Amino acid sequence: MSRSVMDRRPGDSGWQAAAALAAVCLAWGCGPPIVDDLPSPTSTASPTQEPSLPSPENPLAPSAEVSACGLFPEDHIWNVPVTGLPVDADSDAYVRSIGDEIGMHPDFGSGLWEGGPIGIPYTDVDGATPRAQVTFDYADESDPGPYPIPPQPPIEGGPGSDGDRHILLWDRGGCRLHELYAAYPQSDGSWQAGSGAIYDLAGYELRPEGWTSADAAGLPILPGLVRFEEVAAGEIRHALRFTAPDTRRAYVWPARHFASDLEDPRLPAMGQRFRLRSDVDLAPFSPEVRVILRALQIYGMMLADNGSAWYLNGVPDERWDNDALHEMDRIQGWQFEAVDVSGLRIEPDSGRTR
C-alpha cells in the first residue's frame, strides 16, 4: 500500500491523524521550525580539542569508508560524483518551487532542541545485539525483521519525542543496515513502528517499486547523513539528504516511493538529485563547512522527504560547532541546480551505476 502526503509525512510531527498533520503543515511548512538560536557548543558538553580538518588532496580518490561493508559499494548511486552530469531540464522550476532565496539550514548539531538531540542519530550493532520483533503500521511495505535493537537505542528527537522517531542500526560486520520510522518500545520487549527497511550494504538492490522505507522516498537514511567523523577527516564521499516543502506525486531513480498528491510538474519528485554550483566560492567558510559544501558540489544531495526548504540532515554530535554550521545559512537556493542522473542507471531496480 502506497501512502499519500496526508497519511505519512516523515519530517513533520510524527505518526498523526490527517487533520492534525494538515494543521502542523500549515503552521510550520511541513517541517521542523527553523532554529536560529541553536545552542552553542558551550551550552552542553564540548570537545576538549578541536578536530583536525585537512583538505583532501584528491577528492575523487576511493575512501576506506566506502567499502563492501561500509555504506554501499563505491559505484553505488549514493557514492558516485555527479560533477560531470547534465543539469536537469526543469532545474530552474524545481529550485524556485523549493525557494531560490531561502537559505540552506543544517538540521543537525550539538546540544539539545526541545529536549532532544539535533539531528538523526544512529547506533552500531553486531551479531550479539538482541533481536526484537517489530509490528508495523505499514507491514505490507516493511521488512519483517527481527531487528537488532539494543536496550535504550538512540531515537531521533529523544525517547520521549512524538516526532519521526527514526532508529538507525548499522551492523558493519554483518553488512546490514536496519532502519525504523515512528518506533515505540512495547512493554513485552517488542517494538511498534510505522515502517521499516533492511539493506544489504554490500549490494545494490533497491526497495520494491512503490515501497516506502523508513523514509518517504523509499531510500535509506544513514548513507545521506552528514557525520562528524567524515568532516573531521576532511572529506565526505557520498551524496547527502535534504527535504523540501512540496514534492510531486512521483519519484525518480533511485527513489521508490512518493508522498504527495500534487501533480504540478514544477515540483521536484522524490529522489531528485541536486548539487551546489561549482562557481560557489567556498573560501569564506570555516574548514568544517567547506568539507560539507565541497561534498555538495561533488556528490550533491537527494530529495528524501517532505519538510522545510533546503534542510540538510546529519547526525547529532557534541563536537559540532553550531555557530560554524550556521554559516551554511548563507547558501541560498539559487546556488543549487537539479541534476539528471538517468545516464548513470544500469537497471531500474539496482543502485549500481555505469
Side-chain angles (χ1 to χ4, degrees):
M1 176 179 65
S2 294
R3 65 210 70 165
S4 73
V5 68
M6 293 308 295
D7 58 15
R8 182 185 188 263
R9 285 291 286 261
D12 297 329
S13 58
W15 210 264
Q16 305 285 346
L21 179 56
V24 171
C25 290
L26 288 173
W28 295 111
C30 291
I34 295 177
V35 183
D36 290 323
D37 57 349
L38 285 177
S40 68
T42 56
S43 68
T44 183
S46 59
T48 58
Q49 183 176 352
E50 290 296 319
S52 174
L53 293 165
S55 298
E57 295 182 1
N58 182 2
L60 299 182
S63 168
E65 181 67 37
V66 182
S67 63
C69 291
L71 294 174
F72 298 116
E74 64 180 31
D75 59 346
H76 194 283
I77 183 60
W78 276 103
N79 299 323
V80 295
V82 294
T83 48
L85 297 183
V87 174
D88 191 287
D90 295 311
S91 176
D92 290 345
Y94 295 160
V95 169
R96 282 194 297 270
S97 75
I98 300 172
D100 53 4
E101 294 185 355
I102 296 177
M104 185 170 63
H105 180 78
D107 197 21
F108 59 96
S110 63
L112 302 176
W113 170 252
E114 295 187 342
I118 306 170
I120 305 177
Y122 74 91
T123 187
D124 286 298
V125 297
D126 56 30
T129 304
R131 263 52 182 174
Q133 296 296 327
V134 183
T135 302
F136 294 105
D137 293 339
Y138 292 92
D140 56 343
E141 292 183 20
S142 296
D143 295 323
Y147 285 69
I149 306 178
Q152 299 180 335
I155 300 173
E156 181 185 8
S161 71
D162 60 358
D164 284 357
R165 293 183 62 90
H166 285 114
I167 295 180
L168 312 183
L169 307 158
W170 188 0
D171 183 355
R172 303 182 198 227
C175 293
R176 291 289 185 274
L177 174 63
H178 300 71
E179 297 187 338
L180 296 171
Y181 168 73
Y184 290 86
Q186 305 299 298
S187 59
D188 62 358
S190 67
W191 286 74
Q192 174 72 33
S195 54
I198 302 173
Y199 299 92
D200 174 7
L201 295 176
Y204 302 91
E205 185 177 2
L206 304 179
R207 304 288 289 161
E209 186 172 2
W211 278 34
T212 189
S213 58
D215 206 355
L219 295 168
I221 296 172
L222 182 57
L225 298 183
V226 181
R227 291 180 281 128
F228 181 86
E229 57 267 26
E230 294 178 297
V231 173
E235 59 180 346
I236 296 173
R237 301 283 305 142
H238 56 82
L240 300 176
R241 174 188 189 274
F242 84 106
T243 63
D246 294 303
T247 56
R248 196 164 78 248
R249 185 182 172 85
Y251 54 87
V252 295
W253 181 80
R256 308 298 278 173
H257 183 263
F258 58 77
S260 175
D261 290 329
L262 304 174
E263 297 184 353
D264 189 337
R266 295 171 296 182
L267 298 176
M270 285 293 184
Q272 178 64 56
R273 191 90 158 233
F274 288 77
R275 69 184 169 214
L276 186 63
R277 287 169 39 173
S278 61
D279 59 358
V280 175
D281 183 10
L282 307 187
F285 295 90
S286 299
E288 56 265 55
V289 174
R290 286 203 299 271
V291 172
I292 298 170
L293 297 181
R294 182 62 176 148
L296 290 173
Q297 288 180 325
I298 297 174
Y299 298 95
M301 58 186 183
M302 290 192 211
L303 179 53
D305 201 353
N306 297 299
S308 294
W310 307 117
Y311 264 45
L312 189 69
N313 302 118
V315 177
D317 196 300
E318 291 309 304
R319 296 168 292 180
W320 289 122
D321 181 336
N322 289 330
D323 290 334
L325 291 179
H326 268 286
E327 294 175 9
M328 284 189 281
D329 296 348
R330 304 203 302 261
I331 298 292
Q332 294 193 322
W334 64 268
Q335 294 173 293
F336 289 99
E337 55 194 9
V339 183
D340 181 358
V341 301
S342 60
L344 296 175
R345 187 177 66 185
I346 299 173
E347 305 244 351
D349 298 329
S350 170
R352 192 172 187 176
T353 61
R354 302 182 186 280

